[in-house]
Amino acid sequence: MSDRQLLIPFRSNLLPQIFCDTVVVGSGVAGLRTAIGLGDRSDVILLAKEALDLSNTSWAQGGIAAALSPDDTIDGHVNDTLEAGAGLCEPDPVRLLVQQGADEVRRLLGWGMRVDRDNAGAPALGLEGGHHHHRILHTDGDATGTELARCLIERARALQRLRIFDRCFALDVLVDRRRGQRRAAGVLSWHPRHGLQIIWAKAVVLATGGCGQLWRETSNPRVATGDGVAMAWRAGATLADLEFMQFHPTTLYVAGAPRHLISEAVRGEGATLVDRQGRSIMDGVHALGSLATRDIVSRTIIRHLASTGESHVLLDARAMGSDGFRTRFPGLARMLGGYGLDAGRDLIPVHPAAHYFVGGVRTDMDGRTDLPGLYACGEAAATGVHGANRLASNSLLEGLVFGARAAEAILADDSPQAGPFTIVHEVEATERGELDLSDIRSSLRSAMWRNVGVERSGARMQDVLGMFDFWNRYAMERVFDAPDGWEVQNLLTVGRLATQAALARTESRGTHARSDFPDTSEAMAGHFLWRSDAAKPAWSPVGQLACTRVGST
Ligand code: SIN
């Protein structure tokens, strides 16, 4: 793989220079919560790759998990999170997530986030896969993320010292490597009107979300291309848990249509997964049936499809009736109506799809990476909080808790401003012919889906590594001048690492199912850690993931 530390050639002193205390890359829940946490105590720039509200957060239908009901407990939520995580959760971050998460949710309600309420006016708490208690908050049944984003964006916009740059693509973290040190010093960004710009900052936060676009079947928006993880790799920070991509069991399977998510809350309301003959496919598989954790349900569906040769299974929500479904899930009812489906009358064709990237940039419990000045939070980060499989509705919660904590850590660290300094980055011209970018993108997505999908095997993943070698020769050695090229380079970087990580884990655990290693191995209760300056991954047993900083703040 190309060992370029920066994607494009440039000379910093020829580019416009902008200064701030913190630059936050990403406008989902984690980025917004970080910016709000920094408040008006420092100068902050928040970069959104496209429109401010185009993110996995805005697309999230369900929900936010929190132990709010008087008969629920923090321990109950902790235990469900640990159970879903299949022995790989880091216990301290999990407890912190659940405990601080409940407070964060109360704060959100105080900030005016609207949630569905019961007859007594208390937040209505739903059920989702892997939870043994009703504890999921929703807004309008299936529009939780949209309302959460609205609430946070409104709050962020009121800040005097926050500048929001939308449609601004972050290419790379700039690292000060002078005098033998390493420190994040800002980002190189690109805007269609302003071109390349250097943003110097004391702290850089990667809150760039996931990389669902690496797989042909995904519930993620087109912006989810793993940019932050690839940037952290080039900058020399440690990555972890890259073999764990969570596949959501139920996305709409209509030929030619996007893979719209059919929220787990629908199964929480009693819908079940059935085959063409109407037989439940989860009977006898798990005590929670269609509400087992996502890894189990997705795997069961994929195995069922492989053994029957069918293309999809069916979600039976008819017991809710057309009016009941429309009242509980108005957005979904509208979307399904667009395809001529009425959930009260029709079975809904569904199929698993890549949904949430468990791995990411390794951090401590306050968002610090092992590159001083660089922080990460939300889906882009790996705190060990999800283990080998995330519990439903713990991801918006994660963005809230670890975004808030990253903000506090940045203020406490009060890092020095490293820039400006001169960067001259040159890239040798390549003689190789061109490959069509959209072809690479779609071949990559198909290869990942077929070979590094819900079930993987060593032989097929080795083949994919061969494909990466080929694509990399053409795409990684080139210089692109627009986001579609940089996104493909980031996808290739993260895809290759995810494949290498999946090959390294010779067992099945959580979202990572290997047909050639079907059992879970006690010896593999730990995390692979990846760094661009190391030939091989390091190993971190469970209980020790939290990042140890190198160098001073
Ligand atoms: C869903 O509504 O099923 C998605 C919620 C999540 O990813 O936790």
Side-chain angles (χ1 to χ4, degrees):
M1 174 157 19
S2 157
D3 53 4
R4 234 185 256 173
Q5 288 173 338
L6 297 160
L7 277 181
I8 59 166
F10 65 96
R11 285 170 181 262
S12 58
N13 52 7
L14 298 180
L15 299 180
Q17 323 255 326
I18 301 168
F19 291 84
C20 63
D21 294 315
T22 303
V23 57
V24 179
V25 187
S27 63
V29 53
L32 288 166
R33 185 64 187 86
T34 306
I36 292 167
L38 291 165
D40 276 329
R41 293 182 278 179
S42 60
D43 292 320
V44 182
I45 291 177
L46 184 137
L47 305 183
K49 181 162 140 179
E50 294 208 8
L52 193 57
D53 60 357
L54 178 61
S55 62
N56 258 327
T57 296
S58 298
W59 279 30
Q61 295 176 18
I64 310 177
L68 295 185
S69 126
D71 55 343
D72 194 4
T73 60
I74 297 294
D75 280 349
H77 190 178
V78 165
N79 289 339
D80 287 346
T81 303
L82 295 176
E83 194 180 314
L88 232 57
C89 288
E90 292 292 314
D92 292 346
V94 168
R95 184 155 291 276
L96 192 103
L97 170 82
V98 168
Q99 233 155 15
Q100 192 171 328
D103 295 337
E104 277 293 319
V105 168
R106 288 189 198 96
R107 183 169 293 120
L108 263 184
L109 298 178
W111 286 350
M113 178 173 167
R114 236 175 10 84
V115 296
D116 299 338
R117 298 198 171 253
D118 62 19
N119 292 338
L125 299 169
L127 194 60
E128 285 180 5
H131 290 271
H132 290 86
H133 208 288
H134 283 73
R135 61 168 76 96
I136 322 294
L137 286 101
H138 293 101
T139 305
D140 298 334
D142 52 24
T144 318
T146 308
E147 169 60 9
L148 173 61
R150 179 210 61 78
C151 171
L152 295 179
I153 288 173
E154 212 169 279
R155 206 161 175 94
R157 283 199 195 281
L159 296 168
Q160 302 297 309
R161 295 177 69 184
L162 172 68
R163 282 177 284 170
I164 296 173
F165 295 179
D166 58 5
R167 298 186 169 77
C168 194
F169 189 96
L171 283 96
D172 269 306
V173 176
L174 303 175
V175 181
D176 184 2
R177 293 187 170 87
R178 295 171 301 167
R179 296 183 291 276
Q181 61 158 359
R182 290 165 63 242
R183 161 175 297 286
V187 298
L188 174 67
S189 71
W190 177 89
H191 186 277
R193 225 179 30 244
H194 310 299
L196 293 171
Q197 294 175 319
I198 301 264
I199 304 177
W200 298 109
K202 298 175 182 173
V204 177
V205 182
L206 298 175
T208 46
C211 58
Q213 287 294 323
L214 255 178
W215 281 265
R216 189 187 70 210
E217 312 289 334
T218 183
S219 63
N220 290 187
R222 66 175 187 277
V223 290
T225 52
D227 302 332
V229 176
M231 284 163 77
W233 172 255
R234 289 191 291 272
T238 299
L239 311 180
D241 290 338
L242 304 175
E243 60 274 41
F244 298 111
M245 163 51 84
Q246 178 176 81
F247 296 89
H248 195 291
T250 55
T251 58
L252 182 67
Y253 194 77
V254 169
R259 297 288 173 255
H260 294 282
L261 190 73
I262 310 290
S263 176
E264 196 149 310
V266 176
R267 277 173 287 135
E269 291 290 323
T272 54
L273 288 160
V274 297
D275 64 13
R276 287 219 177 136
Q277 284 69 43
R279 285 187 300 250
S280 162
I281 65 157
M282 291 305 298
D283 269 3
V285 176
H286 193 277
L288 291 175
S290 292
L291 270 184
T293 52
R294 290 176 185 174
D295 54 338
I296 295 169
V297 182
S298 292
R299 226 164 21 245
T300 307
I301 295 175
I302 289 294
R303 286 178 185 162
H304 176 83
L305 299 181
S307 70
T308 59
E310 289 168 7
S311 59
H312 59 271
V313 294
L314 299 156
L315 184 64
D316 186 353
R318 290 175 300 180
M320 263 181 260
S322 302
D323 288 345
F325 190 89
R326 203 172 306 113
T327 307
R328 178 70 180 83
F329 301 110
L332 277 174
R334 249 190 326 275
M335 182 277 288
L336 291 170
Y339 298 100
L341 292 166
D342 172 347
R345 194 189 59 210
D346 304 311
L347 296 170
I348 307 167
V350 291
H351 193 281
H355 182 59
Y356 177 91
F357 195 47
V358 172
V361 190
R362 178 197 189 200
T363 69
D364 69 5
M365 294 204 283
D366 298 297
R368 296 185 186 95
T369 72
D370 56 3
L371 176 63
L374 182 68
Y375 302 76
C377 50
E379 191 172 348
T383 55
V385 84
H386 305 305
N389 178 41
R390 174 175 68 79
L391 183 66
S393 285
N394 267 0
S395 65
L396 295 177
L397 193 70
E398 170 191 29
L400 289 168
V401 169
F402 291 101
R405 294 184 70 84
E408 290 307 317
I410 291 165
L411 292 168
D413 292 349
D414 193 23
S415 300
Q417 181 75 258
F421 51 89
T422 303
I423 304 173
V424 178
H425 184 244
E426 278 159 2
V427 173
E428 258 178 52
T430 171
E431 306 266 289
R432 295 190 195 278
E434 280 194 36
L435 283 192
D436 184 84
L437 269 183
S438 56
D439 266 5
I440 298 185
R441 194 165 170 147
S442 68
S443 308
L444 167 65
R445 299 181 67 197
S446 292
M448 290 297 286
W449 177 255
R450 279 187 277 105
N451 305 305
V452 200
V454 177
E455 274 201 294
R456 307 94 191 257
S457 73
R460 297 181 70 157
M461 289 192 286
Q462 283 293 357
D463 288 348
V464 178
L465 284 186
M467 294 183 205
F468 276 108
D469 288 341
F470 175 76
W471 290 320
N472 285 348
R473 281 199 292 277
Y474 292 89
M476 298 306 280
E477 291 174 17
R478 301 193 71 79
V479 172
F480 295 101
D481 57 6
D484 55 348
W486 303 324
E487 281 184 348
V488 166
Q489 290 178 315
N490 287 338
L491 285 167
L492 287 169
T493 300
V494 180
R496 185 184 176 98
L497 286 165
T499 307
Q500 284 175 323
L503 261 170
R505 185 168 289 280
T506 48
E507 65 159 355
S508 291
R509 186 191 288 272
T511 64
H512 173 71
R514 282 195 54 166
S515 53
D516 48 349
F517 291 96
D519 299 324
T520 300
S521 155
E522 262 320 298
M524 300 212 82
H527 313 268
F528 285 108
L529 308 179
W530 302 83
R531 280 176 73 105
S532 50
D533 59 4
K536 284 207 287 211
W539 179 251
S540 169
V542 167
Q544 296 172 26
L545 182 68
C547 187
T548 314
R549 266 185 289 169
V550 289
S552 63
T553 57

